[in-house]
Amino acid sequence: MRYKVDAKESFEQSLLFWLDRFIKSKLTSLSNRHVEENAKLSSIIGSLNHGSKTMEELKELAKEARNIGLIGINLFINPLEKFYYYIVPMGLSSLKEIDEELLSEFLASQTGSLSDATKKNYRIALLGLFKFMDKQNEDEKGNSHQFRIELKNWGGLGGRKGEKLPAHMYKEELSRFFKAIDETEFKPYAQAKNRLLIKLIIFTGMRVSEALGLRVKDMVKDGEYFVFQIRGKGNKPRTAMIKCEHIEHDLHEWMEYRSSDSQLLFQSRTGKPLTQAYVSYIMDKILMSAGIRKEKNGAHMLRHTFATLLYQKNRDLILVQEALGHADLNTSRIYTHFDKERLKIAADTMDGLS
């Protein structure tokens, strides 16, 4: 079914109307393989069909969807929430007044302090919303309004030269970190689970969402290795391996505690999927115990640490790309910046000449 651009009486209500439908479209198109509470997802979609009364209500529905496994929804709801509170006070009379220039001004004024990766997420969210509206709006005569938002010339991105190098741990920090994994105290039923989860990420470089989505049947033992079948971004499959000696004790202990009702390898005490917020809590506690503080302390730093050491040890970008599941080799190229041996060659350039 298609709707008028200005579907409601006021600009604010019309914008919220379209945000409801766009977020609903994302909830039904994102991979739901990690969602076990299907009734809850149906309830959230039903609420969006009826329409949110406020932006806060829409944000809460998106939060509920994220908590049951649709992690990717944050890519859209966070930028669009900020856009909502930016544009509503302007007093526009119609959504048709929104154009490329206004969106560029929003991005320039609201994302200046953010990383390039986050800025790209803002652009993706805006493009997604307005392309959705281009396809779904229609007036009484059957005509549709086309926003034709492209944001190709937005100059807010600094390019690869403007990006910060990803936070990672050095070898001397890693020895303290591994010790802290085993020594940090958690509640008895979560002790082995937390150790196993963090070790899987640091020893394989898998994303947090990939680790949380692992099912018991995705794991098999092959000689002295455990082999994991991972579903990465875009539902793309890849394989990760880890030596049994690193996780066998924790795995055995966790399987003794774990409920057999869920297919997921990792779950809460009540059998529900774990959240990224829970993993952040684990990381904070372990890092504090190890006396390590970084600009970004989340578990994604473990993935960067794995990739950095993998490249330093093998000098093989293709291997890094395959191990991390990068679609583009250029994404893996960032880890060459940590190659001190290559930099030493540059440092020796003027030897014997000065």
Side-chain angles (χ1 to χ4, degrees), residues 26-284:
K26 289 299 159 188
L27 292 182
T28 55
S29 62
L30 290 169
S31 172
N32 64 355
R33 68 187 298 269
H34 297 162
V35 176
E36 293 197 340
E37 297 181 61
N38 292 317
K40 181 65 175 177
L41 177 58
S42 297
S43 174
I44 294 169
I45 292 173
S47 296
L48 290 171
N49 281 330
H50 288 98
S52 304
K53 295 179 180 178
T54 64
M55 186 67 219
E56 290 83 359
E57 184 178 331
L58 175 56
K59 181 70 182 293
E60 185 61 31
L61 288 171
K63 181 180 178 181
E64 291 177 15
R66 180 188 183 277
N67 287 341
I68 63 171
L70 287 170
I71 297 171
I73 198 63
N74 271 7
L75 171 71
F76 301 96
I77 190 62
N78 290 339
L80 293 177
E81 179 193 25
K82 200 160 189 177
F83 174 65
Y84 175 90
Y85 288 118
Y86 172 84
I87 200 169
V88 166
M90 289 186 176
L92 302 182
S93 59
S94 169
L95 293 180
K96 295 178 182 179
E97 296 179 51
I98 301 175
D99 58 14
E100 187 104 2
E101 183 178 2
L102 191 153
L103 294 179
S104 293
E105 289 172 355
F106 161 72
L107 291 170
S109 64
Q110 302 297 309
T111 67
S113 61
L114 304 177
S115 69
D116 274 7
T118 305
K119 289 179 181 179
K120 289 176 182 176
N121 289 346
Y122 271 63
R123 180 177 179 273
I124 289 170
L126 290 176
L127 287 176
L129 172 65
F130 286 97
K131 285 182 178 179
F132 175 80
M133 292 173 66
D134 281 347
K135 294 179 180 179
Q136 298 298 324
N137 82 84
E138 187 176 274
D139 62 18
E140 300 90 341
K141 298 180 180 180
N143 300 319
S144 63
H145 176 79
Q146 297 296 299
F147 290 90
R148 293 188 175 89
I149 303 299
E150 295 184 349
L151 296 172
K152 287 183 178 179
N153 299 319
W154 175 50
L157 295 174
R160 299 202 68 82
K161 292 182 180 178
E163 293 178 355
K164 295 180 180 179
L165 298 180
H168 70 290
M169 285 184 284
Y170 296 93
K171 290 181 180 179
E172 60 271 22
E173 292 174 320
L174 270 174
S175 61
R176 305 205 315 265
F177 182 76
F178 285 128
K179 183 179 180 182
I181 291 176
D182 291 325
E183 293 182 352
T184 303
E185 293 187 4
F186 296 96
K187 293 179 179 179
Y189 66 85
Q191 194 80 42
K193 173 182 66 178
N194 294 349
R195 290 196 304 260
L196 176 64
L197 177 57
I198 296 302
K199 286 179 181 179
L200 276 183
I201 298 172
I202 186 65
F203 280 112
T204 68
M206 67 177 72
R207 299 177 178 92
V208 176
S209 59
E210 293 168 347
L212 296 184
L214 285 173
R215 299 166 298 180
V216 175
K217 68 179 183 180
D218 293 330
M219 172 186 64
V220 296
K221 189 173 182 181
D222 184 3
E224 60 182 284
Y225 293 91
F226 281 108
V227 181
F228 294 88
Q229 300 301 322
I230 300 172
R231 287 284 172 179
K233 287 186 176 180
N235 213 27
K236 294 179 180 177
R238 76 175 190 281
T239 300
M241 300 176 70
I242 182 172
K243 286 187 175 180
C244 296
E245 63 188 68
H246 296 314
I247 63 168
E248 198 156 27
H249 175 76
D250 296 320
L251 177 62
H252 177 75
E253 186 176 335
W254 166 234
M255 295 304 281
E256 292 290 318
Y257 275 106
R258 178 187 165 278
S259 167
S260 60
D261 295 334
S262 172
Q263 294 182 6
L264 293 175
L265 175 60
F266 296 108
Q267 56 189 248
S268 70
R269 195 175 189 181
T270 57
K272 294 182 178 180
L274 300 183
T275 65
Q276 294 216 8
Y278 178 81
V279 184
S280 296
Y281 155 74
I282 298 172
M283 275 293 293
D284 281 342

